[in-house]
Amino acid sequence: MGESDWYRDLFRALDDPCCVVQAVFDAGGQVVDCRLVDVNPAFEALPIAPTDPRQRLNQLCSSLAPEWVQMCGEVARCGDRRRFGPGGAAGGRRYEGYAYRVGAPEDGQVALVFRHVTEREPSEPDDPAAEGLAQRVELQAEELNQLQERVRALAHDVTLAEQRERKRLAAELHEDLAERLVVARIKLGQLHQIAALDASSEELLKEADMVLARALTYTRTIVGDLSPLVLQDLGLPAAIRWLAGRMQQHGLTVTVQATLPEGLVLPDAQAVFLFQAIRELLLNTLKHANCRGASVLLAVSSSVLQAEVYDDGEGFQNAATGSAFPPSAFGLRGIAERINAFGGTFEIHSRPHEGTRAILRLPVETETREPAPEASEAVPDASPVRQDPYGGIIRVLLVDDHAMVRQGLRSVLDAYPDMKVVGEAADGETGVRLTGKLLPSVVLMDINMPGCNGIEATKRIKAQYPRIQIIGLSVDADGQKQDAMLRAGAYSLMTKEAAVDQLYALIYEAVKPGVTPFRPLR
């Protein structure tokens, strides 16, 4: 039996009439009514039992509704237990009982446990039975709160496990499948360059390359949906801008405003959750809002990161019905449950034809990492770039964590008489160290590497050796990565599969501008 089944059985087994209501607040934050969420069989037997499960307290018992509504609003806000009644009559009876908040404060839900006292005067003192009722209710409320804490803890563990698995799958797809596809395209490009093929063989080669290109594009899409690498390499604002570009391809223009502190570092779990939540909200806008634009705002205030997603589309019945989300909005409820597990809150404000505004608030650590020095701040090095004693040779250092990719790039450069690969490194840290030791003319730098990635390694190399040119390489050279590498001091960024056709000319452009490159060796 699941946790929710256990709670449901406990709720329905109570001998005392009990119902759960949700406080309805107006735009100014004042409680205006309460909507029934659930009732147990004992409550259904009362004269005030609803004929419609969606009824409000104002409809059930207008004489007592004002005081009950006010009490429920106060309990929903502060969480304190309140005793009510006996007061005016409802359905020919007087009632007393207790009110308890259930769930998170933003849910606005309150449990009411009733006892009718028609047979005695309102002024009659409490009897032992009433005290026993209060003790049972308090015990049951405590058990309910403990159950809810257990459910939240489980939800948090499930969220973290899901994010770890997404990241693992994305890394494996990128580190293995995508890189193998890239190497295959490099090899096909070399074959096309050096082999004398007839027309039919040329056509078959082009078709094979097209199949690989489509497979690579599909792999990038899957990696982006699971856990985009730009989020790991460049952080949340860059990932949201990358996401905005993806939405643009589907017809939704998204503007992004990010005013986060420089160097703010979010834990992986929080960053992935926020990215996924914002993506889900934008997809909802794309599918249901019937508008062509949306906005995302990221800001930090008082150690709380606030992310807003809003549009001016069709909206839905939200505050007017007192329901936090429409009945079918399972995705929105999932966001609310996951952010609660991180100690945050989720609000959504929407009305028909007035658009929708979703607000996520998440506590964050305000300590930031010191940003690495920009290349423009570096002091020029006094050491000349080492040149081949026979003149004209361009010395190249390969930095990539995939041996197959390094081998593919080396074979491309070996086809040219004026290129010499002087060293290889499998990570950014080693790349920085070998640059100082070998002093190459140019460094070919992969972006996605464990530990010190290509962006950080580029900053460090350019700070020490600004004359050395760096060309970034990536499976996916999108605009966000291009900007990041240029800011770090790189000459350019290109996709790895373009190496056969473009790499040699780009190296010449960076190292020997204006000089005509050699033709490849046959």
Side-chain angles (χ1 to χ4, degrees):
M1 180 183 292
E3 299 282 8
S4 59
D5 295 331
W6 184 90
Y7 156 73
R8 185 72 181 169
D9 290 344
L10 171 65
F11 178 76
R12 298 192 66 81
L14 290 175
D15 294 331
D16 304 306
C18 184
C19 69
V20 177
V21 300
Q22 184 178 49
V24 179
F25 298 93
D26 61 17
Q30 299 298 316
V31 62
V32 294
D33 205 346
C34 291
R35 181 181 64 88
L36 278 171
V37 175
D38 201 358
V39 298
N40 71 347
F43 186 89
E44 292 174 346
L46 295 178
I48 62 171
T51 57
D52 183 345
R54 294 172 297 179
Q55 279 185 284
R56 311 277 186 98
L57 287 184
N58 278 324
Q59 297 170 316
L60 287 178
C61 45
S62 56
S63 62
L64 292 179
E67 60 185 83
W68 284 358
V69 166
Q70 186 64 30
M71 174 192 63
C72 289
E74 294 172 357
V75 172
R77 285 196 183 94
C78 68
D80 295 336
R81 184 188 77 173
R82 295 288 178 88
R83 179 176 178 178
F84 61 88
R93 297 185 178 185
R94 289 188 176 86
Y95 296 91
E96 68 178 10
Y98 292 88
Y100 301 85
R101 185 175 72 194
V102 293
E106 59 270 16
D107 295 337
Q109 293 191 356
V110 177
L112 300 174
V113 182
F114 293 87
R115 180 172 181 268
H116 72 83
V117 290
T118 304
E119 291 78 10
R120 61 186 177 93
E121 292 299 320
S123 59
E124 184 179 341
D126 293 339
D127 57 21
E131 290 300 322
L133 169 65
Q135 293 175 3
R136 291 202 308 276
V137 169
E138 189 167 357
L139 177 62
Q140 290 161 354
E142 183 179 351
E143 291 176 347
L144 181 59
N145 286 333
Q146 292 176 352
L147 173 61
Q148 290 170 335
E149 288 301 319
R150 291 170 61 189
V151 170
R152 286 197 185 96
L154 286 173
H156 185 258
D157 291 344
V158 169
T159 297
L160 293 180
E162 176 192 354
Q163 292 171 1
R164 284 194 296 268
E165 188 65 11
R166 280 175 172 269
K167 188 174 180 180
R168 183 188 68 81
L169 290 173
E172 287 190 4
L173 285 173
H174 171 74
E175 300 294 330
D176 193 306
L177 180 58
E179 297 289 352
R180 290 177 186 271
L181 291 171
V182 165
V183 172
R185 291 200 71 194
I186 290 176
K187 295 297 184 182
L188 284 182
Q190 289 178 282
L191 178 62
H192 179 266
Q193 191 178 70
I194 65 176
L197 303 175
D198 57 32
S200 60
S201 298
E202 285 271 2
E203 187 62 28
L204 288 174
L205 196 63
K206 289 180 181 179
E207 290 178 2
D209 184 67
M210 187 177 298
V211 170
L212 289 174
R214 289 175 178 172
L216 188 57
T217 299
Y218 181 68
T219 303
R220 290 169 179 160
T221 301
I222 296 299
V223 169
D225 289 340
L226 286 171
S227 181
L229 298 175
V230 66
L231 178 62
Q232 303 173 29
D233 293 330
L234 305 181
L236 183 62
I240 299 302
R241 293 188 179 96
W242 172 86
L243 179 62
R246 291 282 296 273
M247 292 292 111
Q248 181 73 52
Q249 297 174 12
H250 296 286
L252 181 68
T253 300
V254 179
T255 60
V256 181
Q257 289 183 288
T259 56
L260 302 184
E262 182 71 22
L264 175 68
V265 180
L266 290 175
D268 286 347
Q270 290 186 347
V272 173
F273 161 72
L274 285 172
F275 175 84
Q276 291 175 349
I278 291 171
R279 177 171 59 186
E280 190 162 347
L281 292 169
L282 289 175
L283 287 174
N284 281 345
T285 298
L286 184 65
K287 294 176 183 177
H288 308 298
N290 193 26
C291 64
R292 301 181 64 84
S295 298
V296 178
L297 175 64
L298 299 173
V300 172
S301 177
S302 302
S303 300
V304 174
L305 189 153
Q306 179 166 307
E308 294 187 32
V309 179
Y310 53 93
D311 63 70
D312 57 357
E314 292 187 350
F316 56 86
Q317 197 77 9
N318 169 233
T321 64
S323 175
F325 312 115
S328 61
F330 299 111
L332 299 181
R333 295 179 188 278
I335 292 174
E337 291 173 359
R338 283 178 285 162
I339 199 169
N340 285 341
F342 286 109
T345 61
F346 178 43
E347 299 175 12
I348 192 159
H349 306 281
S350 184
R351 290 181 182 275
H353 313 298
E354 295 183 11
T356 301
R357 179 181 294 268
I359 305 173
L360 302 112
R361 295 187 179 91
L362 193 65
V364 294
E365 294 292 334
T366 55
E367 292 185 5
T368 58
R369 227 171 21 200
E370 285 296 325
E374 297 291 335
S376 59
E377 300 173 359
V379 178
D381 59 300
S383 303
V385 175
R386 185 180 297 170
Q387 298 292 337
D388 190 270
Y390 298 100
I393 299 297
I394 297 176
R395 300 163 53 81
V396 182
L397 173 65
L398 303 178
V399 184
D400 195 297
D401 58 330
H402 293 88
M404 286 191 306
V405 174
R406 296 198 304 273
Q407 187 274 331
L409 293 173
R410 178 184 282 271
S411 66
V412 169
L413 297 176
D414 284 345
Y416 298 93
D418 56 344
M419 291 284 160
K420 181 178 181 181
V421 177
V422 296
E424 297 183 15
D427 59 79
E429 195 71 42
T430 305
V432 174
R433 180 172 54 81
L434 286 182
T435 298
K437 179 180 179 181
L438 301 174
L439 294 176
S441 310
V442 64
V443 178
L444 300 185
M445 180 72 72
D446 183 24
I447 286 186
N448 304 111
M449 293 183 290
C452 177
N453 63 27
I455 298 169
E456 182 64 27
T458 297
K459 290 180 180 179
R460 291 169 58 182
I461 291 172
K462 294 299 288 186
Q464 299 178 62
Y465 311 102
R467 297 178 188 174
I468 294 178
Q469 297 293 352
I470 299 177
I471 295 176
L473 297 173
S474 178
V475 171
D476 183 9
D478 59 58
Q480 298 296 319
K481 293 179 180 178
Q482 184 81 246
D483 292 343
M485 282 298 285
L486 293 180
R487 287 197 302 271
Y491 180 79
S492 183
L493 173 70
M494 65 183 300
T495 60
K496 294 179 180 179
E497 65 263 33
V500 173
D501 297 326
Q502 303 174 21
L503 180 59
Y504 179 61
L506 189 59
I507 291 175
Y508 247 82
E509 182 184 311
V511 178
K512 297 183 177 183
V515 178
T516 302
F518 281 77
R519 295 182 61 83
L521 297 174
R522 291 284 181 177

